[in-house]
Amino acid sequence: MSTENRTSNSVFDIVKLILALMVAAIHASLFPEVLYPWLRIAVPLFFILSSYFLFLKVNASADKRSVIKRYIVRNLRLYAFYFILLLPYTIYVRDWFAEGVGKGLLLLLRDFFFASTFPASWYIMASVIAVVLISFASKYLSGRALCRITFLLYLLIAFRSAYYHLYFDKIPILSSAVNAYDQIFTPAYTSFPVALFWVAVGKRFAEARERTDGLFWRKAVLLVLSGAGLWLEWNFVRIKTGRLNYDCYLMLALFVPVLFDLIRSIPAKYYAAGPNLRKISTVIYTTHMPFLTVASALLRRMQIAYPLFCYTFAVCGCLVTSLLILHFEKKPYLRWLKYAH
């Protein structure tokens, strides 16, 4: 076992596994009255974690471009692995070619860069594009300036997500502009624009000095206050719109960074299972939707609506898939399975 593995922090591996299970819960519509708005921290925290660890490596390296290049290549390999593996399912679900090959290819390219091909894949491409843009912008702007600029963008996206149908869709010129953008690029709250703020925040944390443990209680108090604000905002939007599960809320921009900072303050621990937990979290994130689709189809045939069953079925399927990958990737002729995580 390498020294890097021995000194890695398993706290973050556990967090990533929990976040992957939360993403699966979002798509399973699992107990939304109870689990929202808290499930919505999963994707932003994933972005911050990825950005944080990437830019820690970038800052410690003399060849910064090489570190970013490896990050991009690793994510594109991950994307390619599941794109190929899930291609029959994806073509069936997306139905890209219903109106001809030409339009189908355009839709495929749009979904590849700006949305999802296989379900939930938008996160991978959004991470790559956001890292490239933030890295480029950081040549001209400070980390603080990047956070401020991307925060303003996040505010616009949050208004588009949670408040658009509450206020802004009644403004004709704004409604036309939003509809045109969504048709061309898909909604920004599930595309790379929303990742820019979270990647900038992760980069800012990587550049900042570690704070002392004596401030842990202050972070905890701020977490409670921002969490209360998030719940109040979610409840306000829920009452006004009747919908529980918008992608972005304004208070996430405070709550998620504070939560990450609090997690970062937890004393580092190492567990032998940590690296495998990290790999399993990736497999859960990328494969849970096909399992949910199968479970939902079975329940529809039985005329049963039971999200907990769908969620349990999907998670178990993902775990079995993860264990099979971890086992067989050790075989000489199946080493390519390492690209699954």
Side-chain angles (χ1 to χ4, degrees):
M1 187 174 295
S2 68
T3 303
E4 182 180 353
N5 284 339
R6 287 187 181 277
T7 58
S8 63
N9 188 352
S10 295
V11 170
F12 291 110
D13 299 327
I14 295 170
V15 169
K16 287 180 179 179
L17 179 61
I18 293 171
L19 295 180
L21 293 172
M22 290 171 71
V23 172
I26 291 173
H27 294 141
S29 300
L30 183 68
F31 306 135
E33 296 86 355
V34 177
L35 298 180
Y36 278 97
W38 316 114
L39 291 180
R40 284 301 175 191
I41 71 172
V43 172
L45 198 49
F46 261 134
F47 279 126
I48 292 178
L49 283 164
S50 296
S51 175
Y52 175 71
F53 287 113
L54 169 64
F55 286 105
L56 281 179
K57 294 178 182 177
V58 168
N59 296 338
S61 175
D63 189 359
K64 302 181 187 302
R65 181 176 296 182
S66 178
V67 175
I68 294 175
K69 181 180 178 180
R70 286 197 299 270
Y71 175 86
I72 293 171
V73 170
R74 185 173 67 252
N75 276 279
L76 291 180
R77 282 175 177 168
L78 178 71
Y79 197 115
F81 180 92
Y82 286 103
F83 180 82
I84 295 170
L85 178 68
L86 300 174
L87 187 58
Y89 167 83
T90 305
I91 291 176
Y92 173 76
V93 171
R94 299 300 182 201
D95 201 18
W96 286 310
F97 303 102
E99 299 181 32
V101 175
K103 186 173 182 180
L105 289 174
L106 288 176
L107 289 173
L108 192 157
L109 287 173
R110 183 201 67 174
D111 290 352
F112 176 75
F113 286 105
F114 303 114
S116 291
T117 52
F118 61 90
S121 62
W122 74 269
Y123 168 84
I124 303 173
M125 187 54 62
S127 297
V128 169
I129 295 175
V131 161
V132 170
L133 293 177
I134 291 297
S135 298
F136 177 78
S138 65
K139 297 178 182 179
Y140 308 98
L141 298 169
S142 67
R144 181 172 295 180
L146 278 173
C147 285
R148 288 174 176 172
I149 293 170
T150 55
F151 172 69
L152 294 177
L153 177 61
Y154 177 79
L155 291 183
L156 293 176
I157 295 171
F159 277 118
R160 166 63 185 93
S161 176
Y163 294 90
Y164 177 67
H165 295 294
L166 189 58
Y167 299 112
F168 302 106
D169 64 342
K170 300 176 180 64
I171 304 173
I173 188 171
L174 183 59
S175 177
S176 298
V178 167
N179 290 336
Y181 180 92
D182 289 356
Q183 285 187 346
I184 297 171
F185 298 106
T186 73
Y189 49 80
T190 52
S191 187
F192 78 89
V194 77
L196 292 170
F197 173 65
W198 305 118
V199 170
V201 169
K203 182 177 183 294
R204 179 69 175 156
F205 273 117
E207 294 169 345
R209 293 182 301 174
E210 293 287 340
R211 297 185 178 181
T212 61
D213 293 337
L215 295 178
F216 187 91
W217 68 271
R218 295 184 184 178
K219 299 173 188 177
V221 170
L222 185 55
L223 184 73
V224 171
L225 293 176
S226 59
L230 174 60
W231 186 87
L232 289 172
E233 180 190 7
W234 168 79
N235 205 41
F236 169 78
V237 173
R238 178 187 65 83
I239 292 171
K240 291 292 185 179
T241 66
R243 181 173 167 180
L244 298 168
N245 60 344
Y246 287 102
D247 290 79
C248 296
Y249 295 93
L250 298 174
M251 286 301 298
L252 283 173
L254 176 59
F255 182 76
V256 176
V258 172
L259 176 60
F260 173 77
D261 201 16
L262 195 66
I263 293 170
R264 196 175 61 138
S265 301
I266 298 173
K269 302 286 184 182
Y270 173 75
Y271 302 108
N276 284 339
L277 293 181
R278 191 185 323 140
K279 296 172 184 177
I280 290 170
S281 68
T282 300
V283 176
I284 291 175
Y285 183 89
T286 50
T287 64
H288 69 274
M289 280 299 291
F291 285 110
L292 285 174
T293 301
V294 171
S296 297
L298 291 173
L299 289 179
R300 280 197 302 270
R301 287 182 175 274
M302 295 184 288
Q303 297 183 337
I304 299 173
Y306 197 32
L308 181 59
F309 175 83
C310 288
Y311 180 75
T312 304
F313 178 89
V315 170
C316 289
C318 292
L319 290 175
V320 170
T321 302
S322 301
L323 295 176
L324 289 173
I325 289 172
L326 293 176
H327 174 74
F328 285 107
E329 71 178 359
K330 299 172 185 176
K331 308 293 183 181
Y333 51 89
L334 291 175
R335 294 187 188 277
W336 52 269
L337 286 173
K338 66 182 181 181
Y339 297 130
H341 48 72

